[in-house]
Amino acid sequence: MALIVDDKHLGTPEARWRDAGLHEELLHLGPINARRLLVVSPHPDDEVFGAGGLIQAALSQRVPVEVIAVTDGEASHPNSSAAATLNLARVRNDESCEALGRLGWRSPLITRLHLADGAVTENRNELDAALASILLPDDLCVAPWRYDGHPDHDTCGESALAASRAVGARTLGFLVWAWHWADPEGSNIPWDVCRRLDLSRRARARKRWASAAFNSQTRSLGPAIEDAVLPAPLMRRFWRPYEVFVDETVSTP
Ligand SMILES: [Zn+2]
């Protein structure tokens, strides 16, 4: 499945997700019963788009949080020679720190693996080893759902699930690209094992403010550089009053 995202390919309209009533139908996630929340983020922004509400919940429950930044996101503008002159890795990592600060996390703990953006699958062994060395049995690990639809995301989801199962930790899968390609009425997403986390007005506002920190993804980088990677209408998916997580501990392998 090719993931095409531009102004002409805006994916499943947000109105269809809203009409699907996920907010009412899915069971609540409940409190975070873990000694630590580990957020596996393939690219600098996924941690906020996919789990910005959950991070805030952990902070409010005084659960320590750590982000595992798998890549630096340096390949977000592959066809732009002008973008290549920028240090996109540094720009995107700075945006992530700013965004996490906007969530109320003043000194975010981020472990950077520096795997090549777009080549996580090719470097799966390195990712597996890193996660195996970090994960502990009482952690709650949240990573992209393993069928999210972007190769880097899917590999992160697979690796996190394997590492979690090896130590007996709980894993949740967050959705980023599945909102783009999936059908609310379809069976691609296992809704029966999905859980929702409701965001307070304050938490929702913070997440929206945090998502606006990723200027390199949501705006044109300059006149000679291609348009935003994430067209504005797509961002609505990440401003909802709830987040959805696939509970991999009850999902069949
Ligand atoms: Zn990503």
Side-chain angles (χ1 to χ4, degrees):
M1 178 186 62
L3 190 62
I4 304 173
V5 182
D6 59 33
D7 287 330
K8 295 184 180 62
H9 300 86
L10 296 174
T12 308
E14 183 60 13
R16 284 192 59 204
W17 290 114
R18 191 174 59 239
D19 293 346
L22 298 180
H23 194 186
E24 290 79 31
E25 291 187 10
L26 299 179
L27 296 176
H28 285 283
L29 180 63
I32 302 170
N33 293 315
R35 64 176 289 279
R36 179 174 63 168
L37 174 66
L38 276 181
V39 184
V40 179
S41 179
H43 313 105
D45 64 15
D46 292 312
E47 68 283 2
V48 171
F49 296 160
L54 185 63
I55 289 172
Q56 292 183 76
L59 295 172
S60 69
Q61 294 170 39
R62 301 193 181 283
V63 174
V65 186
E66 180 173 347
V67 170
I68 311 298
V70 177
T71 81
D72 294 326
E74 70 276 8
S76 62
H77 294 68
N79 302 316
S80 172
S81 56
T85 65
L86 299 172
N87 186 340
L88 265 176
R90 198 197 66 215
V91 167
R92 297 196 65 184
N93 286 333
D94 286 350
E95 289 172 349
S96 176
C97 288
E98 169 67 20
L100 293 170
R102 292 183 184 188
L103 293 181
W105 195 8
R106 294 184 194 284
S107 301
L109 175 59
I110 306 173
T111 298
R112 302 192 189 282
L113 303 185
H114 302 296
L115 297 192
D117 185 5
V120 177
T121 305
E122 291 81 345
N123 294 291
R124 168 78 189 263
N125 288 345
E126 203 174 328
L127 177 61
D128 286 349
L131 294 183
S133 71
I134 295 169
L135 263 164
L136 295 169
D138 296 331
D139 287 334
L140 171 61
C141 181
V142 60
W145 180 43
R146 55 196 164 129
Y147 302 113
D148 193 40
H150 182 300
D152 287 351
H153 285 220
D154 298 356
T155 299
C156 284
E158 289 277 2
S159 180
L161 183 62
S164 297
R165 285 183 170 155
V167 299
R170 185 183 183 193
T171 301
L172 299 173
F174 62 73
L175 309 176
V176 173
W177 291 114
W179 301 124
H180 190 75
W181 57 261
D183 176 355
E185 284 78 39
S187 57
N188 303 99
I189 297 175
W191 298 117
D192 54 331
V193 295
C194 283
R195 300 290 179 265
R196 80 171 207 258
L197 173 71
D198 291 339
L199 276 62
S200 67
R201 286 172 63 99
R202 179 181 170 85
R204 186 185 181 194
R206 275 187 184 267
K207 182 175 175 181
R208 182 168 175 167
W209 185 41
S211 70
F214 298 105
N215 285 324
S216 71
Q217 306 302 296
T218 58
R219 299 183 182 186
S220 176
L221 286 173
I225 301 179
E226 66 201 49
D227 287 338
V229 178
L230 296 170
L234 268 63
M235 297 303 293
R236 295 182 185 280
R237 299 166 188 163
F238 310 124
W239 300 344
R240 296 174 186 165
Y242 62 92
E243 290 178 344
V244 174
F245 299 94
V246 183
D247 190 343
E248 299 279 18
T249 51
V250 295
S251 180
T252 52

